Amino acid sequence: MSFESKKKDSKKSTIVIVGGGFGGLTLVGSLSTAIDPLKHNVVLIDARPTFMPLPSTLRLVVSDVDDLMRRSLHPYGDHTFRNKLAGNGTFIHGSVTEIKFGEAGQGGSVVLDNGEVVQYDILVLATGSAWPSPINFPTESKSAIEEFVQARREEFAKASDILLVGGGAVGIELGGELRDAFPSKAITIIHRATHLLNTTYPDKYRTGLQKQLEARNITVLTGDSITESDASKLVEGHLSGAELVTEQGRKLKPDLVIPTWGARPNTSYLPADLLSSSGHVKVLPTFQLPAHPNVFAIGDIIEWKEQKSAAKAAYFQAPKVMKNIFEYLHLAEAAGSREINLSASKKSSKYSGSMEMILITNGKGGGMGYFDVLWGIVIGGWLASLMKSKDLMVSRLPGITGYTPK
């Protein structure tokens, strides 16, 4: 029996969460302590069968240090649903191809790539970002992910001169992990802007990160980039082993070129009228889609003038979405057929943004953090290592996923 037909036989309302990243899983965890399982079903859908914690993935694809294949790849399952959701939650492995929205806040359905249709009364979109090739993991199975990881490790081990194209967080952290694993390899990061990262962060932080990299014999080329033609070849997987001439005329001869530029929002399943020009989902301060009040969006995919991060989705957005879901359900029960205006409710929770904060690793022992409080606080290697670099927060994952690695 499909989930669609099950729903038709049930008087419960169904909350569907698409995306089991930090934001989606935090929301599941929050719902598990507050939901009435006699009134509501919860369904979690994710394109992959396992949780992929972004902070640990760059170390994962470089080497087998810290046994991250076992410790950080947590499968979804019954353990995902705890407390009041124990035995009352459903995980579905599948990629969303289309959302069929209901009329005027009525329920709709989620169409998956395997043809399955999942009906919803409340829908939360938390599909995150699509990342460049070193961490663009396959979706079909855990074994496929493991094969992908092994292939990346072999690729890095074989190379002698590695070029990372993009000096954002991914490029910086991958450079640090590569230097930990391969002390003598030539590693270069090329970045179009005059400083690493972007102008959200102060120059002292951006130059500090560059100095850390250069102190580890990682070459950093700023104010330059590979040509558009070479970038297109890199995306298509056809750029390797050739001499490159950068836009500033530098000649580079890497035997491995890795794209480490920024991510893009994973929203291809949505119609263009719901998206901004950058592909992000347009939302109200209540995280609702303006034309679909029973549909919420959270995390990397939302159009909001701030940097995207797992911490913001988990700590600053998910709690507000949970509160708004319950308030919406309460208003819907009281309103009957009348239009529901969640934004007008004094009990709704509105988002006004979060402070900018970032922790970037440089291998296990280094890194820097920035917190946009007071005058702007920058923390150095020792504290960054203690907070993130050493363990990449892997020891905290069971509390998020409900899974304990064996």
Side-chain angles (χ1 to χ4, degrees):
M1 182 184 290
S2 71
F3 194 84
E4 180 179 28
S5 58
K6 284 182 185 178
K7 172 66 179 65
K8 287 179 180 177
D9 294 337
S10 174
K11 293 182 180 180
K12 296 181 181 181
S13 63
T14 298
I15 302 168
V16 174
I17 301 168
V18 181
F22 280 103
L25 278 184
T26 300
L27 182 56
V28 170
S30 298
L31 289 171
S32 74
T33 63
I35 203 166
D36 183 348
L38 298 178
K39 293 183 177 181
H40 310 293
N41 295 310
V42 173
V43 179
L44 175 66
I45 301 171
D46 198 89
R48 296 183 178 89
T50 63
F51 175 59
M52 301 298 301
L54 183 64
S56 66
T57 54
L58 292 168
R59 187 170 297 168
L60 171 71
V61 298
V62 169
S63 74
D64 61 1
V65 68
D66 293 340
D67 195 17
L68 292 179
M69 193 90 83
R70 179 185 65 85
R71 295 178 59 230
S72 69
L73 301 185
H74 291 201
Y76 301 106
D78 291 343
H79 52 265
T80 306
F81 305 95
R82 292 166 284 177
N83 302 314
K84 294 180 180 180
L85 282 180
N88 294 291
T90 303
F91 171 70
I92 299 176
H93 174 209
S95 295
V96 176
T97 59
E98 182 185 3
I99 306 294
K100 293 185 176 180
F101 297 99
E103 294 292 332
Q106 298 301 307
S109 60
V110 178
V111 182
L112 305 182
D113 57 351
N114 61 6
E116 188 169 3
V117 177
V118 182
Q119 292 185 325
Y120 70 83
D121 295 292
I122 298 288
L123 176 63
V124 181
L125 305 176
T127 44
S129 295
W131 291 90
S133 63
I135 50 175
N136 185 19
F137 297 95
T139 60
E140 57 266 31
S141 65
K142 185 180 180 182
S143 62
I145 294 170
E146 292 171 343
E147 290 172 9
F148 176 90
V149 169
Q150 190 58 41
R152 298 291 76 71
R153 290 176 178 177
E154 292 172 3
E155 186 177 52
F156 287 128
K158 182 180 177 181
S160 59
D161 191 330
I162 302 171
L163 175 64
L164 307 180
V165 183
V170 172
I172 297 168
E173 293 198 346
L174 181 56
E177 296 302 332
L178 287 168
R179 179 55 74 227
D180 271 11
F182 308 108
S184 61
K185 288 186 188 291
I187 302 169
T188 300
I189 299 174
I190 189 168
H191 187 62
R192 184 181 297 276
T194 54
H195 298 293
L196 296 172
L197 300 178
N198 61 49
T199 56
T200 300
Y201 308 104
D203 286 353
K204 66 178 180 179
Y205 179 62
R206 300 164 74 189
T207 56
L209 287 166
Q210 181 170 342
K211 289 177 181 177
Q212 274 198 1
L213 292 168
E214 291 172 338
R216 303 191 72 198
N217 198 27
I218 295 173
T219 301
V220 179
L221 305 176
T222 56
D224 202 356
S225 66
I226 64 174
T227 64
E228 288 187 15
S229 173
D230 285 338
S232 297
K233 293 177 183 177
L234 182 56
V235 170
E236 296 167 359
H238 300 148
L239 186 67
S240 61
E243 181 179 85
L244 303 177
V245 179
T246 72
E247 290 187 348
Q248 296 299 321
R250 291 186 175 99
K251 293 182 179 180
L252 306 174
K253 296 183 179 180
D255 52 16
L256 180 61
V257 185
I258 300 293
T260 52
W261 46 62
R264 56 181 174 80
N266 188 13
T267 55
S268 60
Y269 57 90
L270 291 171
D273 63 317
L274 300 182
L275 306 176
S276 68
S277 59
S278 62
H280 291 88
V281 182
K282 292 179 281 190
V283 295
L284 301 172
T286 52
F287 295 100
Q288 294 168 287
L289 276 61
H292 304 286
N294 60 331
V295 180
F296 299 79
I298 185 176
D300 286 8
I301 65 171
I302 67 170
E303 175 66 17
W304 206 273
K305 194 175 181 181
E306 63 179 8
Q307 297 298 294
K308 312 302 181 186
S309 75
K312 289 178 182 177
Y315 299 123
F316 298 100
Q317 298 175 9
K320 291 181 180 294
V321 172
M322 185 197 73
K323 184 175 180 180
N324 287 339
I325 287 173
F326 281 117
E327 178 61 9
Y328 183 90
L329 289 170
H330 171 74
L331 292 173
E333 188 175 348
S337 60
R338 299 195 309 274
E339 183 178 340
I340 302 164
N341 187 349
L342 178 62
S343 296
S345 171
K346 293 181 179 180
K347 293 183 178 180
S348 66
S349 186
K350 298 177 179 64
Y351 188 63
S352 58
S354 310
M355 74 170 180
E356 292 301 342
M357 53 185 176
I358 190 169
L359 269 171
I360 295 183
T361 67
N362 185 347
K364 294 191 73 168
M368 293 182 72
Y370 172 73
F371 299 87
D372 188 20
V373 294
L374 301 176
W375 55 88
I377 296 175
V378 175
I379 65 170
W382 177 82
L383 191 53
S385 177
L386 183 67
M387 294 175 69
K388 180 181 177 184
S389 307
K390 185 177 180 180
D391 181 59
L392 298 175
M393 298 178 280
V394 171
S395 60
R396 305 180 197 175
L397 294 182
I400 299 170
T401 65
Y403 177 78
T404 302
K406 298 177 175 61

